[in-house]
Amino acid sequence: MEKRTLPERPGWRDKAEELGFTFADMGGEPYWDETSAYRFTLREIEEDIEAPATELHALCREAVDRAVRDEAWLTRLDIPRQHWDLIAASWSRGEPELYGRMDLAYDGNGPARLLEYNADTPTSLYESASFQWLWFEQQQAAGVLDADADQFNSIHEAIVARWTQICPDGEEVHFAADPDNPEDYATVETLAWAAREAGLGAHFTALSQIGLTEEGQFADDQSRVIGTLFKLYPWEDMLRDEFAAHLQSSGTRFIEPPWKAVLSNKGILPLLWQMFPGHPNLLPAFFLADVQDALTGGNPAPEAAQAFEAARETLALGHVTKPIFSREGAGVVIHEGGREAARTGDDSYSHHPMIVQGLARLPDFGGFRPVLGAWIVGENCCGLGLREDRSPITHNLSRFKPHFIEG
């Protein structure tokens, strides 16, 4: 793994504008940045990223199976009690999942470590699946990249195939997001494009325009009943929405399914560590309430005592606290050597229960620290997107960097 300085494509910003990639620059800074790219070897991709991410997803599914059967875990995950049956039934019926993004710390040496799993409403999909591939093809055609170079990116093809697996041919699918958020809109349009390619109907509707018919069904702004809905709206908010009481009775099929409320919750990280302690791709993780005193020399909660003692030294060297619900690094605080080393200014999620996780220090490439986004479609890893920042905490304005495989 290395970072290489490369020439930018002439006129790429005009092409981005033409394609609707209107957020290539944000806040006066580049969001898409192709002045350099990350190079990986095929071995690194296949053995250190693709295979471990696919295995981690399988472990996550085992954790979901455990959580939906355990009221104590559903309580700890702060899932509203009135919706426990909805989530358990969704899992027991085997309702299929579409996609997710695992954020990994990796430096080319040693195993990739799971930071968190964006399993419900992950964005940066368009950049990863489409614009990054266009960059690769054009740079290869221009001779900037070798003819035998490659990119770990079958995301679009995998999503097309997944749509054919989870929806019958010709099914009408609604896609809902905030139309005023260009990144959210690009995400649902990328998914809708794949759905159309898979032979499905695709209709966009603004989240705010979804209403309830007299029969208790959800409908769009043209009064079309919504049979299947992909929503870029996290389950932790949906379950607390004024329409939440109608989720089950509406008859709507949701993508992602309700059981993703378990998997998209950062509380899944302590559960994973409890179930698979010492796994090379996991970091020690606990609910902060169980170990807060122990972090300063006291005692952990009895149920966490054995696991905490095994991880005490690791956590003392460095750990991160973060809310079980949050977006774009909000509420994240990094502690190193007994002191606070970094935090984000956004604490809007910090009223939620917190977890503590061992610190995986991100590598430094010319003053920037990358986080790898391993894309899962269905149950397999099929692509990679990278974000980097000068800060050790990745946030909404962190730069997206293309990658390629060579050697």
Side-chain angles (χ1 to χ4, degrees):
M1 179 183 179
E2 65 176 353
K3 185 177 179 180
R4 285 192 186 168
T5 300
L6 297 173
E8 297 181 82
R9 293 167 295 161
W12 74 260
R13 279 187 170 82
D14 293 335
K15 188 63 176 178
E17 188 74 24
E18 175 190 335
L19 294 172
F21 188 12
T22 59
F23 52 99
D25 293 290
M26 291 192 293
E29 292 281 338
Y31 168 65
W32 170 272
D33 181 6
E34 59 179 70
T35 59
S36 57
Y38 283 88
R39 168 201 167 272
F40 296 87
T41 67
L42 183 60
R43 186 208 64 77
E44 288 173 331
I45 291 293
E46 292 183 340
E47 297 180 16
D48 293 352
I49 299 167
E50 181 182 13
T54 297
E55 179 185 349
L56 283 169
H57 180 76
L59 301 185
C60 285
R61 289 180 59 87
E62 290 188 46
V64 173
D65 190 64
R66 163 79 178 275
V68 299
R69 303 169 190 273
D70 190 330
E71 292 187 358
W73 272 103
L74 292 172
T75 299
R76 301 216 75 175
L77 296 172
D78 203 20
I79 295 173
R81 180 178 293 270
Q82 64 268 31
H83 299 301
W84 287 359
D85 288 345
L86 170 70
I87 290 167
S90 168
W91 176 253
S92 67
R93 287 194 297 266
E95 292 185 355
E97 59 200 297
L98 180 59
Y99 81 132
R101 190 192 75 236
M102 289 185 173
D103 288 345
L104 306 172
Y106 179 71
D107 63 2
N109 299 295
R113 298 296 187 94
L114 178 64
L115 302 175
E116 58 189 57
Y117 191 7
N118 302 277
D120 184 21
T121 57
T123 53
S124 78
L125 179 65
Y126 173 75
E127 307 90 286
S128 298
S130 182
F131 203 72
Q132 177 181 219
W133 182 252
L134 177 64
W135 168 87
F136 173 75
E137 287 188 317
Q138 292 182 339
Q139 294 290 56
Q140 196 173 48
V144 173
L145 298 177
D146 290 343
D148 61 352
D150 203 352
Q151 187 178 89
F152 181 36
N153 191 355
S154 60
I155 303 168
H156 174 73
E157 294 81 1
I159 293 174
V160 173
R162 186 60 175 166
W163 278 122
T164 67
Q165 294 166 357
I166 66 178
C167 292
D169 188 44
E171 182 172 353
E172 300 294 321
V173 181
H174 279 77
F175 292 83
D178 176 3
D180 296 324
N181 185 317
E183 187 174 6
D184 285 7
Y185 186 82
T187 299
V188 295
E189 180 53 33
T190 300
L191 292 167
W193 172 31
R196 295 184 193 102
E197 198 170 312
L200 308 179
H203 309 284
F204 178 79
T205 183
L207 279 166
S208 62
Q209 296 301 308
I210 295 176
L212 203 65
T213 69
E214 292 183 359
E215 291 77 24
Q217 298 171 299
F218 289 117
D220 65 15
D221 58 349
Q222 298 182 41
S223 299
R224 293 176 296 196
V225 171
I226 299 173
T228 298
L229 176 66
F230 175 87
K231 81 292 173 302
L232 208 66
Y233 185 31
W235 272 110
E236 65 262 24
D237 293 335
M238 282 184 67
L239 296 177
R240 293 166 173 81
D241 190 280
E242 59 180 308
F243 290 106
H246 304 281
L247 290 171
Q248 193 158 10
S249 60
S250 69
T252 298
R253 177 192 183 194
F254 296 100
I255 302 172
E256 300 293 330
W259 63 261
K260 278 287 190 89
V262 174
L263 194 49
S264 63
N265 186 310
K266 293 179 183 63
I268 199 74
L269 298 169
L271 178 54
L272 284 167
W273 186 251
Q274 182 185 104
M275 294 177 66
F276 310 105
H279 190 284
N281 299 113
L282 293 175
L283 294 162
F286 303 87
F287 280 93
L288 182 59
D290 289 344
V291 301
Q292 190 158 25
D293 291 342
L295 290 172
T296 55
N299 296 317
E303 60 271 22
Q306 184 175 353
F308 181 83
E309 289 306 324
R312 182 186 286 272
E313 185 175 338
T314 298
L315 296 174
L317 291 173
H319 62 268
V320 177
T321 57
K322 49 190 170 183
I324 62 171
F325 307 128
S326 70
R327 295 288 181 274
E328 303 289 1
V332 172
V333 181
I334 296 177
H335 305 261
E336 292 191 68
R339 62 177 184 84
E340 183 180 306
R343 72 162 59 225
T344 53
D346 182 358
D347 63 355
S348 56
Y349 292 91
S350 298
H351 60 286
H352 292 295
M354 306 286 287
I355 69 161
V356 58
Q357 183 184 44
L359 175 63
R361 291 172 178 82
L362 302 178
D364 187 326
F365 287 90
F368 285 89
R369 298 172 174 86
V371 168
L372 277 59
W375 287 96
I376 305 291
V377 175
E379 298 183 26
N380 297 289
C381 181
C382 60
L384 182 65
L386 282 86
R387 302 279 302 280
E388 68 171 16
D389 204 284
R390 293 183 179 89
S391 166
I393 302 173
T394 306
H395 57 87
N396 64 324
L397 297 180
S398 299
R399 299 181 181 193
F400 188 99
K401 303 293 293 188
H403 81 275
F404 63 99
I405 303 170
E406 185 180 80

